[in-house]
Amino acid sequence: MTNYERGKQLLHGGYTAYTPDLKSRAVKAKRYGKEPRVGAIIEYYVASKGRIGHTGIVVDCEFRNGAWDFHTVEGNSGNEVRIVHHNLTPAQIGGGNHVDGFVYPDFCAETCSAEQFIAIARSQVGYREKNSNRDLESFRTDHDGGGNYTKFGAWAKSCGWGYNPAEWCAMFVSWCAYMGCVSAHDYAPGWFKDGDAWLYRKKGGEYAHDEWVFDGGRWYVFDNSGHMIRGWFKDSTGDWYYLAGDGGMCASQWVADDKGRMYYLTSSGAMARTAYIREPRPDKAGQHFYYFVDERGEWQKQYDTYFPHLEIYEEAI
């Protein structure tokens, strides 16, 4: 099966530039409902057209205080790919309301995961349509337009089923389905942005989660959702680590917290505790000075010394 065919399977039989097709195929597959889910495709009823007239992809979802609170990524939302916020009670979905319902894609080993589908959609936020077929890949604002020309439409046309110019929200969803399957099955490791967070796809196509990853000479750590962690992180052994603003693990250096307290990260990245930190002596070349950190890892200046009590406290490496 090719990635192109996988994308068609994900959408229950085919790509489309016509928004009602997504619902009709899902209904036949018994994969259409009124409950938003992460990775679902939202379908909007447009009264002036008397049919489904717009669509997008649900990227997060939570039910609280009797309502569904969720965000979607939508193509052709104000002539660009945007994140849209929704807060709807169950009674506000279907029954002639603006939000008609949700297509539940066929996420499986043969297609891609909801996470991969969403990562592709989020990566396009900010893309604006153009006035011609020039510079279709560009995110630069000086290449923006308003003529419905997009890379999603160009892709659809190249596949022989779409047209350009045209309203392109369904083409965007179709393109994300295809690219999600490419992401899942081409197995190239690399980074993907998910809103303000970063994901890392490992060799084999799976995304890192609850683990460390070594990439480009640096270590990174990921939480259970697959998002790269920044700042302080405590591992399962109780050791503390500090991840810089770019996510890379800090090692063999001092770091300060937001209150100016100083901590030392050893060569392994683990924060030193109840230890002396040896550094070059400031007043004599070739000799050393010892800085003391307590059981919390905090530097205690009053215990700094030229002659540490190494029989009591180990020296941090």
Side-chain angles (χ1 to χ4, degrees):
M1 182 183 293
T2 67
N3 289 325
Y4 186 79
E5 292 167 339
R6 291 183 176 102
K8 292 172 68 175
Q9 177 180 326
L10 184 68
L11 299 179
H12 305 297
Y15 305 109
T16 188
Y18 185 58
T19 49
D21 287 348
L22 294 168
K23 176 181 176 179
S24 62
R25 292 187 182 121
V27 168
K28 290 178 182 177
K30 298 182 179 180
R31 296 287 292 170
Y32 193 77
K34 307 302 182 185
E35 178 183 312
R37 300 175 187 171
V38 173
I41 298 167
I42 189 170
E43 292 277 79
Y44 294 94
Y45 178 77
V46 178
S48 61
K49 296 181 178 181
R51 61 170 175 82
I52 301 299
H54 187 58
T55 190
I57 298 168
V58 179
V59 296
D60 59 39
C61 185
E62 183 179 4
F63 189 76
R64 57 187 178 192
N65 300 323
W68 291 106
D69 193 84
F70 61 100
H71 292 85
T72 55
V73 173
E74 301 174 8
N76 201 27
S77 179
N79 300 331
E80 69 177 349
V81 180
R82 288 183 180 175
I83 295 178
V84 180
H85 176 248
H86 304 265
N87 189 270
L88 301 171
T89 66
Q92 292 174 302
I93 301 172
N97 287 302
H98 185 44
V99 174
D100 182 81
F102 302 89
V103 173
Y104 306 129
D106 183 16
F107 296 121
C108 64
E110 284 298 318
T111 58
C112 70
S113 67
E115 181 182 65
Q116 290 163 329
F117 186 44
I118 289 168
I120 294 296
R122 283 190 181 274
S123 73
Q124 300 304 303
V125 171
Y127 179 89
R128 294 183 61 82
E129 63 187 28
K130 319 301 178 187
N131 279 325
S132 72
N133 276 319
R134 293 183 55 199
D135 304 312
L136 289 182
E137 295 289 335
S138 176
F139 275 69
R140 288 170 52 186
T141 56
D142 60 339
H143 291 172
D144 293 349
N148 280 334
Y149 288 88
T150 67
K151 63 181 179 181
F152 317 116
W155 170 78
K157 189 174 183 179
S158 72
C159 296
W161 56 268
Y163 52 94
N164 193 10
E167 293 190 4
W168 47 276
C169 57
M171 292 187 224
F172 170 70
V173 170
S174 295
W175 181 87
C176 289
Y178 168 69
M179 292 302 296
C181 294
V182 170
S183 168
H185 295 277
D186 279 359
Y187 302 144
W191 292 91
F192 294 87
K193 197 168 187 181
D194 181 19
D196 293 329
W198 284 94
L199 309 173
Y200 186 83
R201 186 179 62 208
K202 302 182 291 183
K203 185 177 180 181
E206 295 298 322
Y207 283 85
H209 65 278
D210 274 339
E211 63 185 294
W212 289 89
V213 169
F214 189 72
D215 181 74
R218 303 184 71 187
W219 284 100
Y220 302 84
V221 67
F222 298 83
D223 64 20
N224 187 54
S225 67
H227 291 170
M228 182 188 75
I229 294 172
R230 297 181 177 94
W232 288 104
F233 166 70
K234 188 177 184 180
D235 73 1
S236 59
T237 68
D239 282 326
W240 283 96
Y241 296 81
Y242 188 79
L243 295 310
D246 64 358
M249 184 191 77
C250 296
S252 300
Q253 67 183 86
W254 292 91
V255 296
D257 66 12
D258 56 4
K259 295 183 179 179
R261 294 174 295 207
M262 300 296 295
Y263 303 85
Y264 187 78
L265 305 168
T266 65
S267 59
S268 70
M271 183 184 72
R273 291 183 288 187
T274 315
Y276 284 113
I277 312 304
R278 185 178 69 169
E279 293 192 338
R281 187 165 168 172
D283 58 343
K284 289 188 179 182
Q287 296 188 25
H288 293 89
F289 189 73
Y290 295 83
Y291 300 86
F292 181 71
V293 292
D294 64 17
E295 68 279 1
R296 297 167 298 181
E298 185 179 338
W299 173 39
Q300 299 296 331
K301 184 177 180 180
Q302 67 272 25
Y303 297 119
D304 293 348
T305 180
Y306 290 107
F307 305 101
H309 300 289
L310 292 179
E311 70 276 11
I312 302 175
Y313 299 114
E314 295 183 359
E315 179 183 341
I317 298 174

